Amino acid sequence: MTTHGSDATTFDFVVIANRLPVDRDDSTSPSTWKASPGGLVTAVAPVMRSTRGAWVGWAGAADQEFEPFDLEDMHLVPVPLSGQELERYYEGFSNATLWPLYHDLIVHPAYHRTWWDSYVEVNERFARRAAEIAAPGAVVWVHDYQLQLVPALLREARPDLAIGFFNHIPFPGWEIFAQLPWRAQILEGLLGADLIGFQRPADAANFRRAVRITLKRSTKDTAISVPTADGERESHVAHARAFPISIDTAQLDSLARSQETIDRAREIRRELGDPEVLMLGVDRMDYTKGIRHRIKAFGELLNDGSISPGEATLVQIATPSRERIEHYRQLRDDVEQAVGRINGEHSTLHHQAVHYFHHSYPRDEMAAYYLAADVMLVTALRDGMNLVAKEYVACRTEDDGVLVLSEFAGAAEQLTQAVTVNPYDITGLKASILQAVRMPQQERRRRMRAMRRRLHTEDVGRWSADFLGTLRGIAAARRGAAPAVTAVPTRTPDTPPRDSAP
Ligand code: ADQ
C-alpha cells in the first residue's frame, strides 16, 4: 500500500473482476459482508497479503452504492451497477452475446447496440475506479470477458501501470469471432494489456489470428506490437499466450483426507442405497456443460440394459446460474424433465436412477461427493478449463476413481490420462461411460496417480506466480531501454476473408 498525493490510498497490486469475492448477508442487522471463496481468491490471496492489494468489482446488488471496505486482508472497492446495466451489460452483452459467441455458438448470440453501449460504459467505470486507486507503476490484473475494454482504457489513463488480462473462457476461432459487430473494439481493448493470458495455446492462437485479420497487425510468436493512438510509433508490445488455470490441490487433498470428509463420503453412499457404482456430475447449470448429453447417454444405457439402476446411480449437482436468461431457464426445464423421465421409467423403491440437486454446496460437502464418486462425468460442449475435473482428481486420495472428460474442456490438455469423450457423440459417450464403469483397478490407479502427480505441481499458486512473474518481466522490459520485441514485419500472414472494420 502506498499513500501519495493528499490522503488518497493507493495499491501496488490491483485485481479487477466483474464480481467482488463477497456476498452481502442481509439477515444480520446491520447487514454484513461474508467472503465467498472462489478459485480466483485462492490464486491471488497470497499476493494480496504480501503486497496488500485491492480488488475492484461489483458487490452483487444492483442500484446500491457501497464504500470501499476491508475483509480478510483484502481491500475491496465496490463498483456500482444499475438495474438496467445489470440487464444490458451483464445479462445482455456479457452473458447473451459474448458467452455463447466465445463458446462456439452452442446457442445463438444476440447482438444489441444498447447492450454494447452499456458494456462500454461499465468498462469505463471499472477502469476509472482502478486508475484512481493504483499506485504509480502498480501491477493491475483484469479478469474475464466482461471487462475486455478495461486494459486499453487503463493504459490510456495510466501508462505507468503493468497491465495483465486473463480470459477464463475460450477465445473462439476467427470464423466465429468475426460475427461480433464490435470485434475491432474488443481486440483493441485487450491489446491495451502487456500480457493477455488464455487457458489453452489454441485460444491464444485464435486471438492472435483475429488481431492479424481484423486489425491487420502482424504477430511474432506471442508478441504483438501495439501502435499509439495516432499510429506514429509503438506504444508497447502485448504478449498473448496460454496460462492454464488450476486449483489449490494441496488444500483439497487435505480436505479429502480429513476424517469428517471420509465419514461424510461413506454416509452419502449409504444414503444413496450403496450403489455398486456412483457416478457424479457437478456443474453450474449452463448449456456449455453438456448436462443434457450426459443424462441422455445415462438414460440410454439404462434403456438398453447395459447398466441397471441397482448397479449404477447418477448424482447430478447443478448450481443455479443466470436464471433470468431464457436459454438458462429452458436448460433447467429440459434437465428436470429428462431426470423425471428416467426416474419414472427406471427407479425402484430401493434404487433411484438419478439424484438431481439444484443447489450450491459448501466446499467440504463437495469434497465428500468427489470422494464418494467412482466415476466423474465432465461432458462440457466447450469449457475454458473446467475446475471440477481437477477438483475430482485432487480429492481421489486413494488413487482410485475414473474421470470421463470432454475433449472440449481446456482441462483435457493437462488431465491426459482421463477417458476423453466427444459429448456430441452419444454412442461414443455411452461406450466411454461403460469403459469407466468396468475399468480394471490397476488401470484406474495408473491413470489417477499420473493425473494427481501433475496437479500437485501445476496448482493455482503456480498459475498466478507464472502469470504475474511474466507480466512483471514484460513491464520491466518496456520500462527499460529496449522494448521486448521491436521491429515486426508489416505483412499479415493470414489473408483476411473480408474487410475488418465493422
Ligand atoms: P465455471 O464455468 O463456473 O468457470 P468451473 O471451472 O467448473 O466452471 O468452476 C466451477 C466452480 O464452481 C468449481 O470450483 C466447482 O467446485 C464449483 N461448483 C460447481 N457446482 C457447485 C455446487 N453445486 N456447489 C458448490 N460449488 C460448486 C469459468 C470457466 C471455466 C474455468 C473457470 C476458471 O467457464 O472453464 O475453468 O472459470 O477459470
Side-chain angles (χ1 to χ4, degrees):
M1 178 171 59
T2 315
T3 303
H4 82 136
S6 52
D7 57 355
T9 304
T10 61
F11 298 83
D12 296 319
F13 178 57
V14 179
V15 167
I16 313 176
N18 174 62
R19 265 300 251 122
L20 287 173
V22 287
D23 288 315
R24 197 164 166 76
D25 185 356
D26 288 322
S27 64
T28 60
S29 181
S31 300
T32 47
W33 294 102
K34 60 181 188 352
S36 67
L40 194 54
V41 189
T42 317
V44 300
V47 193
M48 287 264 174
R49 247 173 254 126
S50 62
T51 54
R52 190 168 148 74
W55 186 310
V56 176
W58 179 51
D63 292 315
Q64 290 196 48
E65 300 224 6
F66 302 106
E67 287 303 313
F69 59 98
D70 287 325
L71 190 76
E72 295 179 9
D73 294 335
M74 276 190 288
H75 185 68
L76 302 178
V77 181
V79 174
L81 288 184
S82 68
Q84 191 185 65
E85 285 165 346
L86 192 63
E87 276 173 32
R88 293 181 176 182
Y89 145 79
Y90 182 68
E91 292 167 351
F93 199 76
S94 297
N95 288 330
T97 304
L98 293 173
W99 181 268
L101 184 77
Y102 282 29
H103 288 87
D104 288 358
L105 314 177
I106 297 169
V107 307
H108 277 298
Y111 302 113
H112 295 295
R113 284 166 286 186
T114 49
W115 290 1
W116 164 253
D117 292 342
S118 180
Y119 184 82
V120 173
E121 238 173 77
V122 171
N123 271 249
E124 285 170 351
R125 188 175 310 144
F126 272 80
R128 249 192 329 269
R129 201 68 189 95
E132 284 163 9
I133 63 155
V139 170
V140 181
W141 195 358
V142 187
H143 287 268
D144 232 358
Y145 61 102
Q146 302 93 347
L147 300 173
Q148 293 173 99
L149 305 179
V150 169
L153 293 164
L154 259 184
R155 180 163 307 271
E156 197 187 335
R158 294 286 307 273
D160 57 300
L161 302 175
I163 305 169
F165 179 91
F166 186 76
N167 196 51
H168 290 256
I169 68 175
F171 196 89
W174 159 257
E175 287 70 16
I176 290 174
F177 183 71
Q179 282 192 5
L180 186 66
W182 306 278
R183 60 197 185 192
Q185 291 94 318
I186 291 284
L187 296 173
E188 294 282 18
L190 290 169
L191 285 172
D194 291 290
L195 180 61
I196 308 156
F198 295 91
Q199 301 280 23
R200 300 172 312 149
D203 297 315
N206 285 343
F207 171 75
R208 294 192 302 260
R209 180 156 183 259
V211 167
R212 290 195 295 270
I213 297 174
T214 309
L215 305 178
K216 313 259 189 302
R217 303 231 180 99
S218 53
T219 61
K220 186 169 186 282
D221 299 327
T222 65
I224 304 154
S225 170
V226 183
T228 50
D230 57 14
E232 296 279 301
R233 54 195 172 81
E234 183 179 84
S235 152
H236 63 285
V237 176
H239 287 260
R241 49 159 280 208
F243 293 86
I245 198 169
S246 194
I247 54 165
D248 189 339
T249 315
Q251 190 216 12
L252 267 175
D253 178 281
S254 83
L255 187 56
R257 284 179 200 280
S258 76
Q259 198 52 49
E260 290 79 6
T261 308
I262 294 169
D263 292 346
R264 178 64 189 137
R266 284 207 192 103
E267 191 178 41
I268 287 170
R269 288 191 76 105
R270 222 177 16 253
E271 285 171 0
L272 294 171
D274 276 322
E276 272 172 52
V277 179
L278 173 52
M279 295 192 215
L280 178 65
V282 173
D283 315 79
R284 250 183 336 94
M285 181 66 97
D286 195 296
Y287 52 78
T288 59
K289 304 290 182 184
I291 305 171
R292 280 181 282 222
H293 296 64
R294 181 185 314 160
I295 291 175
K296 185 175 176 59
F298 184 71
E300 285 193 14
L301 286 170
L302 291 167
N303 285 342
D304 57 30
S306 307
I307 51 175
S308 68
E311 180 189 2
T313 291
L314 171 63
V315 173
Q316 175 62 54
I317 300 176
T319 324
S321 183
R322 304 178 191 168
E323 296 204 292
R324 289 175 14 150
I325 300 174
E326 177 54 29
H327 284 299
Y328 288 77
R329 283 200 295 264
Q330 182 64 47
L331 170 70
R332 182 176 174 188
D333 286 350
D334 290 354
V335 167
E336 293 180 355
Q337 203 176 59
V339 169
R341 191 174 305 131
I342 293 174
N343 280 337
E345 285 172 12
H346 296 285
S347 295
T348 65
L349 271 181
H350 303 289
H351 297 290
Q352 188 169 325
V354 185
H355 293 262
Y356 160 76
F357 305 108
H358 188 243
H359 328 276
S360 211
Y361 287 108
R363 254 7 248 142
D364 45 357
E365 182 74 355
M366 294 300 299
Y369 271 99
Y370 291 138
L371 192 59
D374 305 294
V375 175
M376 182 82 211
L377 301 177
V378 176
T379 55
L381 304 177
R382 177 58 75 199
D383 214 333
M385 177 54 61
N386 195 295
L387 296 180
V388 165
K390 294 189 171 180
E391 290 167 357
Y392 176 69
V393 171
C395 288
R396 304 306 301 175
T397 49
E398 303 281 314
D399 290 340
D400 203 351
V402 184
L403 174 64
V404 174
L405 178 58
S406 166
E407 58 194 60
F408 304 126
E413 294 195 8
Q414 288 93 54
L415 303 175
T416 49
Q417 288 79 13
V419 174
T420 53
V421 290
N422 167 6
Y424 291 98
D425 169 12
I426 301 293
T427 305
L429 181 53
K430 286 164 66 183
S432 299
I433 293 174
L434 280 183
Q435 182 194 348
V437 168
R438 312 223 155 114
M439 188 179 285
Q441 198 193 40
Q442 210 182 0
E443 184 181 349
R444 297 202 300 261
R445 285 191 188 285
R446 182 177 54 72
R447 289 176 183 248
M448 188 53 77
R449 203 174 289 139
M451 291 192 284
R452 288 178 56 76
R453 206 175 302 130
R454 185 158 177 188
L455 267 192
H456 272 286
T457 46
E458 295 177 8
D459 67 356
V460 74
R462 177 155 155 197
W463 171 76
S464 56
D466 273 359
F467 186 94
L468 292 171
T470 309
L471 173 58
R472 288 198 174 95
I474 294 168
R478 171 164 58 76
R479 289 170 187 144
V485 173
T486 46
V488 281
T490 49
R491 192 182 60 82
T492 50
D494 291 287
T495 311
R498 54 190 158 125
D499 184 30
S500 58

